[in-house]
Amino acid sequence: MTTDENISMNTAAEPVNGAKLPARTDSRAVEHVGPVLDGELIDDTLPQPRRRTVRRRFVRWWLHSPRVPLWLKSRPQAVQAAKDAAVAVLRSPWRYCGAVVRGVVVGVRWWRLWVRVADYRMAAEESEKLADKFTEIRELTLFRWKVTGAVFAVVALVVAVVDLVYGSDPLWIAGAATSVALAILGRRRDGSPGRKPALAGPRTLTWTMDPQVLVDAFRDAKLIGKDETLRLVERATRVGDGWAVMVDLPATRKAADVVKHRDALASALAVDEVQLIAERVRGNGGHAGRVSMWVADADPYSKPPVRTPLLGVSRWDAWRPVPFGRDARDRRIDLPLVWTSLLVGAIPRQGKTFAARLAAAGLILDAWVRLYVADFKAGKDWDAAGHVAHRFMSGDEPEHVLALVDWLVELVGEVQGRFRRMRDLDDVICPESKVTPDMSRDSALDMPITAVFIDEVQVPLEDRTPVVVQGKKVPAGEYVGELLTWLAKKGPAAGIVLVLATQRPDSKTIPSGLRAVLGSRFALRVMDWRDSNIVLGEQMNTRGFDSSRLLPSHKGVGILRPDGDTAAGADVLATTVRTYYMPNEDWQTICQQGRALREAAGTLTGHAAGQDTRPVLDRVAVAHAIGSRGTPPTVPAERIELPEPLAAVVDYLGDELDEGGREFVPTAELVEALAVEPTAFGRQMNDHGCRPERFRVPGEDGRTKQVRGYATADIRAAVDAVAACSVDPGGGEDDP
Ligand SMILES: Nc1ncnc2c1ncn2[C@@H]1O[C@H](COP(=O)(O)OP(=O)(O)OP(=O)(O)O)[C@@H](O)[C@H]1O
């Protein structure tokens, strides 16, 4: 580390996050810093070069050589191979007997054809000369019968003689040799017609023993061609309550197609499609044609639901993915929430609220998380959250929608404030323009993770109550959509987590702009594939993920498309998950625990602390942030009465006042149009904060000239300021 003499390390810097951080300050005093050492940072977590010994080279070759069988490389594969061998040995007597019987049948069939001179007879028939050749064929048949009788007689004689002379031992040996010959004759051969037995019992188990059945299933499902075959990468092994196998498809066949046509494969394997999990193996160990399959013994979701593990924990770190549910293979699926947002969609009574509450539970158990909960279902489901939430409301009236608009405006202002403050923080505390775990827990910085839960978000999004936004009436729902889109886009980096649940995941209700910026999606059962795509994303049904195919009885089961890694793997696009079961009493316990944690940490604020403050609305800042609309006075338009001459100016300008319309309007034009006295008009406009400015405009002769006038942005701000003053004092309360 080198140092500049004019700069010293101020060891008495203010403590940040409990630790003293060195801060650089200018100082004229020269401070001795001891010897100056020069060094280099080495990251010893990276793979370091190792000496290549003969043993290492051999081990490397052994592990990578395609000539060494897989069961000699991996312990689980060896165990499975031993099990398969034991099963094969136990089954061998039956298989042998079966082969001998088939050999006898094949032999007898062959003999019948020979004795009836079938080939000659057929040829004669085909050339329509059977009548001519009849005598000849008959003689030959008689002769062959005689040969057969003679052979039998000779064999019987030989058996009798051998028995008399040498005893029964040679006969046993001959019998054994004959049975081997018959078993070879009757062995199962690919493509031998009439020799492939119909499979009895569940095919699920058969393919684990006989890979040929798996190949046939792939062929039947038209995932590979008639002449193509599969390569087993890993033989079938027992994993959880099912069987797992990894296969390589023939060249040019795609694993994505197998995932897409899982239903056909499930049918070919005679299992329900919920029992079959097919995933493309990605990354280093995989390629575009490698598929990992897992087939459950029974419907994995018919088991009783599992309670959330959060019940047993005393606290949770919101930065850790929250336990969300379990997949069919019973792997735990955790959902990362910070730095992303979540959309939950389903038809009624499928477990949306339960899923959203699971996400909330993890955040509630972190005392540093600030919660905004808006329950437009207006039921009891979210009531317990009122004990921990900074802002809470439950209801589905227009006044609740207007209150939500105020919350969102407050949050947009909050996000902007956080970005401004982050810009001023040094690189040690804030390395990027993103909230870090330490920052979120530093009360001096006041940037806690802020989670916004909106249940039945379609209610505010469809609300038609007109609100005046920058002098123009817009439906409240449209404005909520814009604010949510902005928050979902910019909020995550500033520590805002949006969780939206909707009963109507259709394209009209959830604006496409909003959907596009919601990082994580969870689709429980919906009516058709279009709705499923709206929640999960475009074309997801063609990639094999369609939540309309989930069964109605599978409550809490949905397709999760996470924004980040899950236990199913970082490269897995989506997984079917059954959420943990968290009934109301567990939810209440968690909320009480969250309250106790907040009381202990001194972070209980707002509604939960009995201080329902009005949202802080920085309308001008929001106007700049949202861009398209400007400042949002969240009161119904008809309730606003603009004073003169502002009302006349707004009327006169109409749509031209909108952003994207005129930039300024000359004073002379207004005076003439409104027929007002110029000095009084100027004074009244000044009272509303509109001061005339000089603007350069091109004149009729082509030259630029200066004109006095008003900026339309100033007029818009004046309108919004009046609207803000006319907000009904009860209209913005948190819990109306
Ligand atoms: N993981 C789960 N395991 C088992 N049952 C569940 C699970 N999640 C939800 N359920 C059941 O599904 C029912 C409906 O859940 P929930 O109230 O969350 O549905 P919803 O989709 O929010 O319904 P609505 O649209 O009517 O508000 C619950 O009463 C619960 O019994």
Side-chain angles (χ1 to χ4, degrees):
M1 188 176 78
T2 56
T3 109
D4 187 318
E5 285 195 357
N6 284 330
I7 298 175
S8 68
M9 303 298 273
N10 183 0
T11 48
E14 281 299 304
V16 176
N17 289 342
K20 288 201 173 186
L21 293 167
R24 284 183 145 217
T25 53
D26 284 341
S27 163
R28 277 164 211 281
V30 175
E31 193 178 302
H32 284 285
V33 290
V36 174
L37 301 175
D38 202 357
E40 188 191 349
L41 272 179
I42 295 171
D43 185 354
D44 61 0
T45 59
L46 295 172
Q48 303 297 317
R50 285 192 300 174
R51 238 161 44 82
R52 300 193 70 186
T53 60
V54 177
R55 194 172 156 272
R56 278 204 188 114
R57 246 188 263 164
F58 176 73
V59 169
R60 209 178 135 74
W61 170 83
W62 184 266
L63 290 176
H64 290 92
S65 169
R67 283 179 201 89
V68 180
L70 209 57
W71 58 272
L72 286 177
K73 295 179 187 171
S74 126
R75 205 181 144 77
Q77 291 285 326
V79 171
Q80 192 59 42
K83 283 188 199 162
D84 288 353
V87 170
V89 168
L90 287 175
R91 288 178 64 206
S92 58
W94 282 271
R95 291 183 63 185
Y96 186 76
C97 289
V100 171
V101 170
R102 281 194 302 275
V104 170
V105 172
V106 171
V108 169
R109 271 198 203 142
W110 176 83
W111 170 78
R112 273 194 67 214
L113 294 176
W114 176 78
V115 88
R116 290 175 63 228
V117 204
D119 46 351
Y120 194 13
R121 187 188 289 257
M122 220 183 303
E125 264 173 15
E126 276 173 14
S127 56
E128 296 180 357
K129 289 183 183 157
L130 189 60
D132 302 347
K133 305 277 178 191
F134 186 74
T135 332
E136 216 174 312
I137 290 172
R138 199 172 157 71
E139 273 173 17
L140 203 52
T141 308
L142 271 173
F143 173 73
R144 288 188 180 182
W145 269 108
K146 281 179 197 158
V147 171
T148 306
V151 169
F152 265 100
V154 170
V155 170
L157 194 69
V158 169
V159 167
V161 171
V162 169
D163 192 29
L164 272 176
V165 179
Y166 301 104
S168 60
D169 287 358
L171 294 180
W172 280 111
I173 294 169
T178 313
S179 76
V180 169
L182 286 171
I184 292 171
L185 189 65
R187 74 186 189 279
R188 282 184 187 164
R189 269 180 307 204
D190 224 7
S192 324
R195 218 167 287 150
K196 207 160 66 179
L199 293 167
R203 277 177 266 172
T204 345
L205 288 180
T206 326
W207 66 261
T208 61
M209 315 260 177
D210 184 357
Q212 185 57 40
V213 178
L214 192 66
V215 175
D216 289 346
F218 270 76
R219 278 188 197 147
D220 295 345
K222 303 217 172 359
L223 294 169
I224 57 174
K226 276 204 168 49
D227 310 323
E228 291 176 325
T229 189
L230 297 173
R231 227 192 99 227
L232 272 192
V233 182
E234 271 172 24
R235 60 175 63 235
T237 37
R238 191 86 190 133
V239 177
D241 291 337
W243 289 87
V245 70
M246 198 186 285
V247 293
D248 270 353
L249 300 173
T252 75
R253 298 276 174 184
K254 288 180 283 175
D257 290 337
V258 177
V259 177
K260 187 166 143 190
H261 298 292
R262 301 200 275 282
D263 301 6
L265 189 58
S267 155
L269 288 171
V271 291
D272 191 287
E273 58 253 46
V274 292
Q275 279 173 259
L276 171 67
I277 312 290
E279 285 163 2
R280 188 188 146 179
V281 186
R282 304 198 69 148
N284 277 342
H287 56 78
R290 183 163 288 182
V291 188
S292 143
M293 282 170 40
W294 185 80
V295 182
D297 299 339
D299 177 357
Y301 307 117
S302 60
K303 289 184 276 182
V306 183
R307 286 214 158 172
T308 170
L310 281 176
L311 263 186
V313 302
S314 54
R315 60 181 67 228
W316 191 261
D317 178 356
W319 289 82
R320 281 176 60 190
V322 173
F324 192 64
R326 302 196 90 84
D327 71 357
R329 292 167 81 157
D330 210 28
R331 289 176 298 190
R332 180 171 146 170
I333 301 292
D334 292 352
L335 180 66
L337 283 170
V338 178
W339 286 350
T340 181
S341 40
L342 172 69
L343 172 67
V344 183
I347 54 171
R349 311 298 307 146
Q350 286 303 313
K352 274 185 317 291
T353 305
F354 271 54
R357 285 198 322 199
L358 274 170
L363 303 181
I364 284 171
L365 288 179
D366 186 332
W368 300 98
V369 174
R370 189 179 287 167
L371 293 148
Y372 282 58
V373 179
D375 173 21
F376 286 94
K377 195 168 171 177
K380 280 165 63 175
D381 291 352
W382 286 95
D383 279 358
H387 301 301
V388 276
H390 176 70
R391 294 204 182 279
F392 177 82
M393 69 172 162
S394 175
D396 53 5
E397 301 297 325
E399 71 219 56
H400 297 101
V401 177
L402 295 175
L404 177 70
V405 175
D406 283 352
W407 289 13
L408 298 179
V409 170
E410 178 185 51
L411 284 166
V412 170
E414 168 84 23
V415 170
Q416 287 178 306
R418 287 187 187 193
F419 279 126
R420 258 198 311 275
R421 281 179 279 145
M422 276 194 265
R423 219 176 299 135
D424 298 337
L425 291 174
D426 67 41
D427 288 352
V428 180
I429 298 172
C430 179
E432 304 170 54
S433 268
K434 267 182 178 173
V435 169
T436 62
D438 286 344
M439 286 166 70
S440 72
R441 295 196 181 110
D442 189 339
S443 40
L445 294 178
D446 190 26
M447 294 189 196
I449 294 301
T450 303
V452 186
F453 290 86
I454 308 180
D455 201 356
E456 307 299 5
V457 71
Q458 77 278 0
V459 175
L461 284 171
E462 286 178 341
D463 193 275
R464 309 286 311 159
T465 311
V467 292
V468 175
V469 179
Q470 215 177 11
K472 197 180 167 198
K473 286 184 192 176
V474 285
E478 199 181 300
Y479 195 53
V480 167
E482 281 178 19
L483 290 164
L484 284 175
T485 309
W486 191 93
L487 279 173
K489 217 186 289 177
K490 300 273 174 74
I496 307 291
V497 179
L498 271 191
V499 178
L500 311 178
T502 179
Q503 212 175 60
R504 280 234 288 281
D506 53 65
S507 49
K508 270 189 252 148
T509 313
I510 315 269
S512 55
L514 174 58
R515 265 182 284 134
V517 285
L518 293 167
S520 304
R521 323 286 183 87
F522 185 54
L524 293 134
R525 200 167 78 89
V526 291
M527 284 319 278
D528 62 21
W529 59 269
R530 287 179 208 87
D531 292 354
S532 172
N533 278 358
I534 281 169
V535 183
L536 293 174
E538 292 295 316
Q539 308 274 314
M540 282 295 277
N541 69 317
T542 60
R543 293 154 101 177
F545 301 102
D546 178 357
S547 71
S548 65
R549 296 197 177 179
L550 297 168
L551 299 180
S553 56
H554 288 163
K555 296 257 189 270
V557 179
I559 301 176
L560 177 69
R561 187 182 182 181
D563 185 9
D565 304 1
T566 61
D571 303 317
V572 174
L573 180 61
T575 1
T576 305
V577 181
R578 182 196 215 173
T579 56
Y580 286 118
Y581 187 61
M582 188 173 59
N584 234 351
E585 60 268 25
D586 293 354
W587 165 245
Q588 281 162 1
T589 311
I590 283 177
C591 289
Q592 277 154 16
Q593 203 174 327
R595 185 180 174 93
L597 287 171
R598 279 170 179 71
E599 279 169 349
T603 50
L604 198 70
T605 54
H607 178 90
Q611 307 150 358
D612 267 332
T613 48
R614 291 264 309 277
V616 182
L617 307 176
D618 186 352
R619 297 178 190 288
V620 178
V622 172
H624 285 129
I626 300 291
S628 64
R629 297 274 179 213
T631 47
T634 56
V635 285
E638 53 268 24
R639 280 204 250 156
I640 300 171
E641 268 187 30
L642 291 176
E644 292 297 347
L646 212 48
V649 172
V650 169
D651 268 351
Y652 170 68
L653 287 173
D655 286 352
E656 288 181 331
L657 189 60
D658 286 357
E659 215 162 274
R662 287 174 75 168
E663 227 181 282
F664 97 103
V665 49
T667 313
E669 186 188 333
L670 284 176
V671 167
E672 193 187 336
L674 305 180
V676 285
E677 200 279 309
T679 320
F681 176 73
R683 206 174 41 243
Q684 284 165 334
M685 287 297 277
N686 196 24
D687 290 345
H688 293 302
C690 302
R691 281 172 199 87
E693 289 168 44
R694 284 182 192 281
F695 292 86
R696 298 174 86 82
V697 290
E700 278 164 20
D701 54 357
R703 290 222 215 117
T704 311
K705 59 176 185 171
Q706 285 204 347
V707 177
R708 277 176 81 82
Y710 295 95
T712 47
D714 287 352
I715 301 173
R716 284 196 294 267
V719 171
D720 292 338
V722 174
C725 297
S726 60
V727 172
D728 176 0
E733 288 301 313
D734 287 334
D735 196 3

